[in-house]
Amino acid sequence: VRGSPADVRLAFYAREQRKKAVDNGWEYLDLQDVFGADTADYEFSSSTGLLDSSNLHPSRPNGGMQIAEAILRLIAPTI
């Protein structure tokens, strides 16, 4: 994985989380697929503003909505 240290770290976390989910038979939603692989594209100061000013948590209006829509797409076929 290339990119900033944050991008590399997030890719590592995503791999480990996916492995844990598969090993335990859990569903897994990779938010990197939702937000994008490059943190510069969705951090607080970006045009999308998907993260809040902590650059750790999703912003309420933008990031939260993206996550909710991704979850709905994931579960919609089952309801």
Coordinates of all heavy atoms in Angstrom, one line a residue:
V1 N 0.9 -1.2 0.0 CA 0.0 0.0 0.0 C 0.9 1.2 0.0 O 1.8 1.3 0.7 CB -0.9 0.0 1.2 CG1 -1.7 1.3 1.3 CG2 -1.9 -1.2 1.2
R2 N 0.5 2.2 -0.8 CA 1.3 3.4 -0.9 C 0.4 4.5 -0.3 O -0.8 4.4 -0.2 CB 1.6 3.7 -2.3 CG 2.6 2.7 -2.9 CD 2.8 3.0 -4.4 NE 3.7 2.0 -4.9 CZ 4.4 2.0 -5.9 NH1 4.4 3.1 -6.6 NH2 5.1 1.0 -6.3
G3 N 1.1 5.6 0.0 CA 0.3 6.8 0.4 C 0.9 7.3 1.7 O 2.0 7.0 2.1
S4 N 0.2 8.2 2.4 CA 0.7 8.8 3.6 C 0.7 7.7 4.7 O 0.1 6.6 4.6 CB -0.3 9.9 4.0 OG -1.5 9.3 4.5
P5 N 1.4 8.0 5.8 CA 1.4 7.1 6.9 C 0.0 6.7 7.4 O -0.3 5.5 7.7 CB 2.2 7.8 8.0 CG 3.1 8.7 7.2 CD 2.3 9.1 6.0
A6 N -0.9 7.7 7.4 CA -2.3 7.4 7.8 C -2.9 6.4 6.8 O -3.7 5.5 7.2 CB -3.1 8.7 7.9
D7 N -2.7 6.6 5.5 CA -3.3 5.7 4.5 C -2.8 4.2 4.7 O -3.5 3.3 4.7 CB -2.9 6.1 3.1 CG -3.5 7.5 2.8 OD1 -4.5 7.9 3.4 OD2 -3.0 8.1 1.8
V8 N -1.5 4.1 5.0 CA -0.9 2.8 5.2 C -1.4 2.1 6.4 O -1.8 1.0 6.4 CB 0.7 2.9 5.2 CG1 1.3 1.6 5.6 CG2 1.2 3.4 3.9
R9 N -1.5 2.9 7.5 CA -2.0 2.4 8.8 C -3.5 2.0 8.6 O -3.9 0.9 9.1 CB -1.9 3.5 9.8 CG -2.0 3.0 11.2 CD -1.5 4.1 12.2 NE -2.1 5.4 12.0 CZ -1.3 6.5 11.6 NH1 0.0 6.4 11.4 NH2 -1.9 7.7 11.4
L10 N -4.3 2.8 7.9 CA -5.7 2.4 7.8 C -5.9 1.2 6.9 O -6.8 0.3 7.2 CB -6.5 3.6 7.2 CG -6.8 4.7 8.1 CD1 -7.3 5.9 7.3 CD2 -7.7 4.3 9.2
A11 N -5.1 1.0 5.9 CA -5.1 -0.2 5.1 C -4.8 -1.4 5.9 O -5.4 -2.5 5.8 CB -4.2 -0.1 3.9
F12 N -3.8 -1.3 6.8 CA -3.4 -2.4 7.7 C -4.6 -2.8 8.6 O -4.9 -3.9 8.7 CB -2.2 -2.0 8.5 CG -1.9 -3.0 9.6 CD1 -1.3 -4.3 9.3 CD2 -2.2 -2.7 10.9 CE1 -1.1 -5.2 10.3 CE2 -2.0 -3.6 11.9 CZ -1.4 -4.8 11.6
Y13 N -5.2 -1.7 9.2 CA -6.3 -2.0 10.1 C -7.5 -2.7 9.4 O -8.1 -3.6 9.9 CB -6.8 -0.7 10.7 CG -5.9 0.0 11.7 CD1 -5.9 1.4 11.8 CD2 -4.9 -0.7 12.4 CE1 -5.0 2.0 12.7 CE2 -4.0 0.0 13.3 CZ -4.1 1.3 13.4 OH -3.3 2.0 14.3
A14 N -7.7 -2.2 8.2 CA -8.8 -2.8 7.4 C -8.6 -4.2 7.1 O -9.5 -5.1 7.2 CB -9.0 -2.0 6.1
R15 N -7.3 -4.6 6.7 CA -7.0 -6.0 6.5 C -7.2 -6.8 7.7 O -7.8 -7.9 7.6 CB -5.5 -6.1 6.0 CG -5.3 -6.1 4.5 CD -3.9 -6.5 4.1 NE -2.8 -6.0 5.0 CZ -2.2 -4.8 4.9 NH1 -2.6 -4.0 3.9 NH2 -1.3 -4.5 5.7
E16 N -6.8 -6.4 8.8 CA -6.9 -7.1 10.1 C -8.4 -7.2 10.5 O -8.8 -8.3 11.0 CB -6.1 -6.5 11.2 CG -4.6 -6.6 10.9 CD -4.1 -8.0 10.8 OE1 -4.4 -8.8 11.7 OE2 -3.4 -8.3 9.8
Q17 N -9.1 -6.2 10.3 CA -10.5 -6.2 10.7 C -11.3 -7.2 9.8 O -12.1 -8.0 10.2 CB -11.2 -4.8 10.6 CG -10.7 -3.9 11.6 CD -11.0 -2.5 11.4 OE1 -11.5 -2.1 10.3 NE2 -10.8 -1.6 12.4
R18 N -11.0 -7.1 8.5 CA -11.6 -8.1 7.5 C -11.3 -9.5 7.9 O -12.2 -10.4 7.9 CB -11.2 -7.8 6.1 CG -11.8 -8.7 5.1 CD -11.5 -8.4 3.7 NE -12.3 -7.4 3.2 CZ -11.9 -6.1 2.8 NH1 -10.6 -5.8 2.9 NH2 -12.8 -5.3 2.4
K19 N -10.0 -9.8 8.2 CA -9.6 -11.1 8.6 C -10.4 -11.6 9.8 O -10.9 -12.7 9.9 CB -8.1 -11.2 8.8 CG -7.6 -12.6 9.2 CD -6.1 -12.6 9.4 CE -5.6 -13.9 9.8 NZ -6.3 -14.7 10.7
K20 N -10.5 -10.7 10.8 CA -11.2 -11.1 12.1 C -12.7 -11.4 11.8 O -13.2 -12.3 12.3 CB -11.1 -9.9 13.1 CG -11.8 -10.2 14.4 CD -10.8 -10.7 15.3 CE -11.4 -10.7 16.7 NZ -10.6 -11.5 17.6
A21 N -13.3 -10.6 10.9 CA -14.7 -10.8 10.5 C -14.9 -12.1 9.8 O -15.8 -12.9 10.2 CB -15.2 -9.6 9.7
V22 N -14.0 -12.4 8.8 CA -14.1 -13.6 8.1 C -13.9 -14.8 9.0 O -14.7 -15.8 9.0 CB -13.1 -13.6 6.9 CG1 -13.0 -15.0 6.3 CG2 -13.5 -12.6 5.9
D23 N -12.9 -14.7 9.8 CA -12.6 -15.9 10.8 C -13.8 -16.2 11.7 O -13.9 -17.3 12.2 CB -11.3 -15.5 11.6 CG -10.1 -15.6 10.8 OD1 -10.1 -16.0 9.6 OD2 -9.0 -15.1 11.3
N24 N -14.6 -15.1 12.0 CA -15.7 -15.3 13.0 C -17.0 -15.4 12.3 O -18.1 -15.4 13.0 CB -15.6 -14.2 14.0 CG -14.5 -14.3 15.0 OD1 -14.6 -15.2 15.9 ND2 -13.4 -13.6 14.8
G25 N -17.1 -15.3 11.0 CA -18.3 -15.4 10.3 C -19.2 -14.1 10.4 O -20.4 -14.2 10.3
W26 N -18.5 -13.0 10.6 CA -19.2 -11.7 10.7 C -19.3 -11.0 9.4 O -18.4 -11.1 8.6 CB -18.5 -10.8 11.7 CG -18.3 -11.4 13.1 CD1 -19.1 -12.3 13.7 CD2 -17.3 -11.0 14.0 NE1 -18.6 -12.6 15.0 CE2 -17.5 -11.8 15.2 CE3 -16.2 -10.2 14.0 CZ2 -16.7 -11.7 16.3 CZ3 -15.4 -10.1 15.1 CH2 -15.6 -10.9 16.3
E27 N -20.3 -10.1 9.3 CA -20.3 -9.2 8.1 C -19.2 -8.1 8.4 O -18.9 -7.8 9.5 CB -21.7 -8.6 8.0 CG -22.7 -9.5 7.6 CD -22.5 -10.1 6.2 OE1 -22.0 -9.3 5.3 OE2 -23.0 -11.2 5.9
Y28 N -18.7 -7.6 7.3 CA -17.7 -6.5 7.4 C -18.0 -5.5 6.4 O -18.1 -5.8 5.2 CB -16.3 -7.1 7.2 CG -15.2 -6.1 7.3 CD1 -14.9 -5.5 8.5 CD2 -14.6 -5.7 6.1 CE1 -13.9 -4.5 8.5 CE2 -13.6 -4.8 6.1 CZ -13.2 -4.2 7.3 OH -12.2 -3.2 7.4
L29 N -18.0 -4.2 6.8 CA -18.1 -3.1 5.9 C -16.8 -2.3 6.0 O -16.6 -1.7 7.0 CB -19.3 -2.2 6.2 CG -19.5 -0.9 5.4 CD1 -19.7 -1.2 3.9 CD2 -20.7 -0.1 6.0
D30 N -16.1 -2.3 4.9 CA -14.8 -1.5 4.9 C -15.1 -0.1 4.5 O -15.5 0.2 3.4 CB -13.9 -2.1 3.8 CG -12.5 -1.5 3.9 OD1 -12.3 -0.5 4.5 OD2 -11.6 -2.1 3.2
L31 N -14.9 0.8 5.5 CA -15.2 2.2 5.2 C -14.2 2.9 4.3 O -14.5 3.9 3.7 CB -15.3 3.0 6.5 CG -16.5 2.6 7.4 CD1 -16.5 3.4 8.7 CD2 -17.8 2.8 6.7
Q32 N -13.1 2.2 4.0 CA -12.2 2.7 3.0 C -12.9 2.6 1.6 O -12.6 3.5 0.8 CB -10.9 2.0 3.0 CG -10.0 2.2 4.2 CD -9.7 3.6 4.5 OE1 -10.0 4.1 5.6 NE2 -9.1 4.3 3.6
D33 N -13.7 1.6 1.4 CA -14.4 1.5 0.2 C -15.5 2.6 0.1 O -15.9 2.9 -1.0 CB -15.1 0.1 0.1 CG -14.1 -1.0 0.0 OD1 -12.9 -0.8 -0.4 OD2 -14.5 -2.2 0.3
V34 N -16.0 3.0 1.2 CA -17.0 4.1 1.2 C -16.4 5.5 1.1 O -16.8 6.3 0.2 CB -17.8 4.0 2.5 CG1 -18.9 5.1 2.6 CG2 -18.5 2.6 2.6
F35 N -15.4 5.7 1.9 CA -14.8 7.1 1.9 C -13.7 7.2 0.8 O -13.5 8.3 0.3 CB -14.2 7.4 3.3 CG -15.1 7.7 4.4 CD1 -16.5 7.6 4.2 CD2 -14.7 8.1 5.6 CE1 -17.4 7.9 5.2 CE2 -15.6 8.4 6.6 CZ -16.9 8.3 6.4
G36 N -12.9 6.2 0.6 CA -11.8 6.2 -0.4 C -10.5 5.8 0.3 O -10.4 5.9 1.6
A37 N -9.5 5.5 -0.5 CA -8.3 5.0 0.1 C -7.3 6.1 0.5 O -6.5 5.9 1.4 CB -7.6 4.1 -0.9
D38 N -7.5 7.3 0.0 CA -6.6 8.4 0.3 C -7.3 9.3 1.3 O -8.3 10.0 1.0 CB -6.3 9.2 -1.0 CG -5.3 10.3 -0.8 OD1 -4.9 10.6 0.3 OD2 -4.8 10.8 -1.8
T39 N -6.7 9.4 2.5 CA -7.3 10.2 3.6 C -7.4 11.7 3.3 O -8.3 12.3 3.7 CB -6.5 10.0 4.9 OG1 -5.2 10.3 4.7 CG2 -6.7 8.6 5.4
A40 N -6.5 12.1 2.4 CA -6.6 13.5 2.0 C -7.9 13.9 1.3 O -8.3 15.0 1.3 CB -5.4 13.9 1.1
D41 N -8.5 12.9 0.7 CA -9.8 13.1 0.0 C -11.0 13.3 0.9 O -12.0 13.7 0.4 CB -10.1 11.9 -1.0 CG -9.1 11.9 -2.1 OD1 -8.4 12.9 -2.4 OD2 -9.0 10.8 -2.8
Y42 N -10.9 12.9 2.1 CA -12.1 12.9 3.0 C -11.8 13.5 4.4 O -12.7 13.6 5.2 CB -12.7 11.6 3.1 CG -11.9 10.4 3.7 CD1 -11.8 10.2 5.0 CD2 -11.2 9.6 2.8 CE1 -11.0 9.2 5.5 CE2 -10.5 8.5 3.3 CZ -10.4 8.3 4.7 OH -9.6 7.3 5.1
E43 N -10.6 14.0 4.7 CA -10.3 14.5 6.0 C -11.1 15.8 6.2 O -11.7 16.4 5.2 CB -8.8 14.8 6.2 CG -8.3 15.8 5.2 CD -6.7 15.9 5.2 OE1 -6.1 15.1 5.9 OE2 -6.2 16.8 4.6
F44 N -11.1 16.3 7.4 CA -11.9 17.5 7.8 C -11.7 18.7 6.8 O -12.6 19.4 6.4 CB -11.5 17.9 9.2 CG -12.3 19.1 9.7 CD1 -13.6 19.1 9.9 CD2 -11.6 20.3 9.9 CE1 -14.3 20.2 10.4 CE2 -12.3 21.4 10.4 CZ -13.6 21.4 10.6
S45 N -10.4 18.9 6.4 CA -10.1 20.1 5.6 C -10.4 19.9 4.1 O -10.2 20.8 3.3 CB -8.7 20.6 5.8 OG -7.8 19.5 5.4
S46 N -10.8 18.7 3.7 CA -11.1 18.4 2.3 C -12.4 19.0 1.9 O -13.2 19.4 2.7 CB -11.1 16.9 2.0 OG -12.2 16.3 2.6
S47 N -12.7 18.9 0.6 CA -14.0 19.5 0.1 C -15.2 18.6 0.5 O -16.3 19.1 0.6 CB -13.9 19.6 -1.4 OG -13.7 18.3 -2.0
T48 N -14.9 17.3 0.8 CA -16.0 16.4 1.2 C -16.3 16.5 2.7 O -17.4 16.3 3.1 CB -15.7 14.9 0.9 OG1 -14.5 14.5 1.6 CG2 -15.4 14.7 -0.6
G49 N -15.3 16.8 3.5 CA -15.5 16.9 4.9 C -16.2 15.7 5.6 O -17.1 15.9 6.4
L50 N -15.8 14.5 5.2 CA -16.4 13.3 5.7 C -16.0 13.1 7.2 O -16.7 12.3 7.9 CB -16.1 12.1 4.8 CG -16.7 12.2 3.4 CD1 -16.2 11.0 2.6 CD2 -18.2 12.3 3.4
L51 N -14.9 13.6 7.6 CA -14.5 13.5 9.0 C -14.7 14.8 9.7 O -14.6 15.9 9.2 CB -13.0 13.1 9.1 CG -12.6 11.7 8.5 CD1 -11.1 11.4 8.7 CD2 -13.4 10.6 9.1
D52 N -14.8 14.7 11.1 CA -15.0 15.9 11.9 C -13.6 16.5 12.1 O -12.6 15.9 11.6 CB -15.7 15.6 13.1 CG -15.0 14.7 14.1 OD1 -13.8 14.4 14.0 OD2 -15.7 14.3 15.1
S53 N -13.5 17.5 12.9 CA -12.2 18.2 13.1 C -11.1 17.3 13.8 O -10.0 17.6 13.8 CB -12.4 19.5 13.9 OG -13.0 19.2 15.2
S54 N -11.5 16.2 14.4 CA -10.5 15.3 15.0 C -9.8 14.5 13.9 O -8.8 13.9 14.2 CB -11.2 14.3 16.0 OG -12.0 13.4 15.3
N55 N -10.4 14.4 12.7 CA -9.9 13.6 11.6 C -9.9 12.1 12.0 O -9.2 11.3 11.5 CB -8.5 14.0 11.1 CG -8.6 15.1 10.1 OD1 -9.6 15.1 9.3 ND2 -7.7 15.9 10.0
L56 N -10.7 11.8 13.0 CA -10.9 10.4 13.4 C -12.3 9.9 13.3 O -12.5 8.7 13.0 CB -10.5 10.2 14.9 CG -9.0 10.5 15.3 CD1 -8.8 10.5 16.8 CD2 -8.1 9.5 14.6
H57 N -13.2 10.8 13.5 CA -14.7 10.4 13.5 C -15.4 11.0 12.3 O -15.1 12.1 11.9 CB -15.3 10.8 14.8 CG -14.6 10.3 16.0 ND1 -13.7 11.0 16.8 CD2 -14.6 9.0 16.6 CE1 -13.2 10.2 17.7 NE2 -13.8 9.0 17.6
P58 N -16.4 10.3 11.9 CA -17.2 10.8 10.7 C -17.9 12.1 11.2 O -18.4 12.2 12.3 CB -18.2 9.7 10.4 CG -18.2 8.8 11.6 CD -16.9 9.0 12.3
S59 N -18.0 13.0 10.3 CA -18.8 14.2 10.5 C -20.3 13.9 10.5 O -20.7 12.9 9.8 CB -18.5 15.3 9.5 OG -18.9 14.9 8.2
R60 N -21.1 14.5 11.3 CA -22.5 14.2 11.3 C -23.2 14.3 10.0 O -23.9 13.4 9.5 CB -23.2 15.0 12.4 CG -22.9 14.6 13.8 CD -23.6 15.4 14.8 NE -23.2 15.1 16.1 CZ -24.0 14.5 17.0 NH1 -25.2 14.2 16.7 NH2 -23.5 14.2 18.2
P61 N -23.1 15.5 9.3 CA -23.9 15.6 8.1 C -23.4 14.8 6.9 O -24.1 14.3 6.1 CB -23.9 17.1 7.8 CG -22.6 17.6 8.4 CD -22.4 16.7 9.6
N62 N -22.1 14.7 6.8 CA -21.5 14.1 5.6 C -21.0 12.7 5.8 O -21.5 11.8 5.1 CB -20.3 15.0 5.1 CG -20.8 16.4 4.7 OD1 -21.9 16.6 4.3 ND2 -19.9 17.3 4.9
G63 N -20.1 12.5 6.7 CA -19.5 11.2 6.9 C -20.6 10.2 7.5 O -20.7 9.1 7.0
G64 N -21.4 10.7 8.4 CA -22.4 9.8 9.0 C -23.4 9.4 7.9 O -23.9 8.2 7.9
M65 N -23.8 10.3 7.0 CA -24.7 9.9 6.0 C -24.1 8.9 5.0 O -24.8 8.0 4.6 CB -25.2 11.2 5.2 CG -26.2 10.9 4.2 SD -27.8 10.2 4.9 CE -28.4 11.6 5.7
Q66 N -22.9 9.1 4.7 CA -22.2 8.1 3.8 C -22.2 6.7 4.4 O -22.4 5.7 3.7 CB -20.8 8.6 3.5 CG -20.6 9.8 2.7 CD -20.9 9.4 1.2 OE1 -20.8 8.3 0.7 NE2 -21.4 10.5 0.5
I67 N -21.9 6.6 5.7 CA -21.9 5.4 6.4 C -23.3 4.8 6.4 O -23.5 3.6 6.1 CB -21.3 5.5 7.8 CG1 -19.8 5.9 7.7 CG2 -21.5 4.2 8.6 CD1 -19.2 6.3 9.1
A68 N -24.3 5.6 6.8 CA -25.7 5.1 6.8 C -26.1 4.5 5.5 O -26.8 3.5 5.4 CB -26.6 6.2 7.3
E69 N -25.8 5.3 4.4 CA -26.2 4.8 3.1 C -25.5 3.5 2.7 O -26.1 2.6 2.1 CB -25.9 5.9 2.0 CG -26.8 7.1 2.2 CD -26.4 8.3 1.3 OE1 -25.3 8.2 0.6 OE2 -27.2 9.2 1.2
A70 N -24.2 3.4 3.1 CA -23.5 2.1 2.8 C -24.1 1.0 3.6 O -24.2 -0.1 3.0 CB -22.0 2.3 3.2
I71 N -24.5 1.2 4.8 CA -25.1 0.1 5.6 C -26.4 -0.3 5.0 O -26.8 -1.5 4.8 CB -25.3 0.5 7.1 CG1 -23.9 0.6 7.7 CG2 -26.2 -0.4 7.8 CD1 -23.9 1.3 9.1
L72 N -27.2 0.7 4.5 CA -28.5 0.4 3.9 C -28.3 -0.4 2.6 O -29.0 -1.3 2.4 CB -29.2 1.7 3.6 CG -30.6 1.6 3.0 CD1 -31.5 0.8 3.9 CD2 -31.2 3.0 2.7
R73 N -27.3 0.0 1.8 CA -27.0 -0.8 0.6 C -26.6 -2.2 0.9 O -27.0 -3.2 0.2 CB -25.9 -0.2 -0.2 CG -26.3 1.1 -1.0 CD -25.3 1.5 -2.0 NE -24.0 1.8 -1.4 CZ -23.6 3.0 -0.9 NH1 -24.4 4.0 -0.9 NH2 -22.4 3.1 -0.4
L74 N -25.9 -2.4 2.0 CA -25.5 -3.7 2.5 C -26.7 -4.6 2.9 O -26.7 -5.8 2.6 CB -24.5 -3.6 3.6 CG -23.8 -4.8 4.1 CD1 -22.9 -5.4 3.0 CD2 -23.0 -4.5 5.4
I75 N -27.6 -4.0 3.7 CA -28.7 -4.8 4.2 C -30.0 -4.8 3.4 O -30.8 -5.6 3.6 CB -29.0 -4.4 5.7 CG1 -29.6 -3.0 5.7 CG2 -27.8 -4.5 6.6 CD1 -30.2 -2.6 7.1
A76 N -30.1 -3.8 2.5 CA -31.3 -3.7 1.7 C -31.8 -5.0 1.0 O -33.0 -5.3 1.0 CB -31.2 -2.6 0.7
P77 N -30.9 -5.8 0.4 CA -31.3 -7.0 -0.2 C -31.9 -8.0 0.8 O -32.6 -9.0 0.4 CB -30.0 -7.6 -0.8 CG -29.1 -6.4 -1.0 CD -29.4 -5.5 0.2
T78 N -31.7 -7.8 2.1 CA -32.2 -8.8 3.0 C -33.5 -8.4 3.7 O -34.1 -9.1 4.4 CB -31.2 -9.1 4.2 OG1 -31.0 -7.9 4.9 CG2 -29.8 -9.5 3.6
I79 N -34.0 -7.2 3.4 CA -35.2 -6.7 4.0 C -36.3 -6.5 3.0 O -36.2 -6.5 1.9 CB -35.0 -5.4 4.8 CG1 -34.4 -4.3 3.9 CG2 -34.2 -5.6 6.0 CD1 -34.2 -2.9 4.6

